[in-house]
Amino acid sequence: MLINLDFEANEPIYQQLTNQIIDGIARKELKPGEGLPSVRSLAADIGINLHTVNKAYQQLKQEGFILIHRQKGVVINPDGVPKADESYRAQLQKKLRPIIAESICRDVDELEFLELCQSIYNSYKGGTTS
Amino acid sequence: MLINLDFEANEPIYQQLTNQIIDGIARKELKPGEGLPSVRSLAADIGINLHTVNKAYQQLKQEGFILIHRQKGVVINPDGVPKADESYRAQLQKKLRPIIAESICRDVDELEFLELCQSIYNSYKGGTTS
DNA sequence: CCATCTGTTATACTATAAATATAACAGATG
DNA sequence: CATCTGTTATATTTATAGTATAACAGATGG
């Protein structure tokens, strides 16, 4: 999978990496059971430190996106990502609230906001395109 | 307005403060032209440093939520918050993408997501309740 | 058997951001 | 003229991000 990092962004590199892998899973480019590069090879590929990759992997592991077999390597969770529970839904709402508050202040009405979300959802439905 | 900060959270205090003021504007508890406390008094009220408050105010000023008259104090933008432009919409989409990607991975379907957004929008329509 | 790969752990260092603590300046106000 | 305003400057502490090495332990393949 192609990884594209912005080293000038405020968002930490490990967080960008985490998000891109989640994005790959959402786009079905990364499928359950599929292997990911080792921390060392991925770090070398994108020119960052292995600990930075490891931090992303640990985060993905803790949230159930991937499994890490000590010697076998890293694998997209073969059972699929754990489905949303109430804790996740609460956290989701907490993330969306300030975004929606600002949108309201800026006169983005509900319909426009929902259509934007819809269009993003649709972008994950089609082909292999990001 | 009531300010509630979580000093244990990962989110910086100045960011929490910024978000709460935006939330207050969205809820219409803070109205155009209304005054905000001085950096010193607000800092004293919530028990933080004046520079932390100032950082939040500067951010709100730069994004057009408030005006700061050198000696008169801080005021909610009397002309209202600048409406969403294309730059804001692009930034909004950038914020929503990773959130939606994770939701898709966790099997939150489009309808459920949209209804959550709707319910949040509705929470800003009613009374003075947060 | 041994070189090599895996994730993991530990330590150390640099750089940056967040938050605090003081202090001072300049324009208004009463 | 004392007092309040935002603003600026400096310094310190703490935490996080990222890098740099190094080593360990389990597996694998030649």
Side-chain angles (χ1 to χ4, degrees), chain A residues 19 22-23 25-26 28 63-65 81-84 88-89 91-110 112-114 116-125 130, chain B residues 6 19 22-23 25-26 28 63-65 81-84 88-89 91-93 95-110 112-114 116-125 130:
Chain A
N19 283 341
I22 294 176
D23 194 82
I25 299 176
K28 321 266 191 221
E63 293 172 7
F65 290 94
V81 180
K83 296 191 191 308
Y88 173 74
R89 287 190 170 81
Q91 174 208 329
L92 178 57
Q93 179 163 355
K94 205 169 175 181
K95 276 191 203 164
L96 286 171
R97 252 191 166 274
I99 297 176
I100 290 181
E102 179 167 0
S103 289
I104 290 175
C105 292
R106 296 200 184 280
D107 244 31
V108 176
D109 66 25
E110 185 176 326
E112 180 182 354
F113 188 91
L114 294 179
L116 174 58
C117 292
Q118 253 183 320
S119 82
I120 297 176
Y121 252 93
N122 282 329
S123 76
Y124 285 99
K125 285 178 182 168
S130 170
Chain B
D6 178 3
N19 283 341
I22 294 176
D23 194 83
I25 299 176
K28 321 266 190 222
E63 294 171 8
F65 291 93
V81 179
K83 297 192 192 303
Y88 173 74
R89 288 189 169 81
Q91 174 207 329
L92 178 57
Q93 179 163 356
K95 276 190 203 165
L96 286 171
R97 253 189 165 275
I99 296 176
I100 290 180
E102 180 168 0
S103 289
I104 290 175
C105 292
R106 296 201 184 279
D107 243 32
V108 176
D109 67 23
E110 185 176 326
E112 180 182 354
F113 188 91
L114 294 179
L116 174 58
C117 293
Q118 253 183 318
S119 81
I120 297 175
Y121 252 94
N122 282 330
S123 76
Y124 285 98
K125 285 179 182 166
S130 170

Side-chain angles (χ1 to χ4, degrees), chain B residues 43-85:
Chain B
D45 271 9
I46 56 190
I48 63 177
N49 192 273
L50 99 174
H51 291 107
T52 307
V53 175
N54 190 247
K55 191 164 182 179
Y57 277 4
Q58 288 301 325
Q59 194 174 337
L60 288 164
K61 170 188 167 190
Q62 204 199 334
E63 294 171 8
F65 291 93
I66 64 176
L67 299 184
I68 305 183
H69 303 84
R70 177 99 194 187
Q71 257 51 256
K72 293 184 182 176
V74 183
V75 167
I76 305 291
N77 194 333
D79 303 324
V81 179
K83 297 192 192 303
D85 56 8

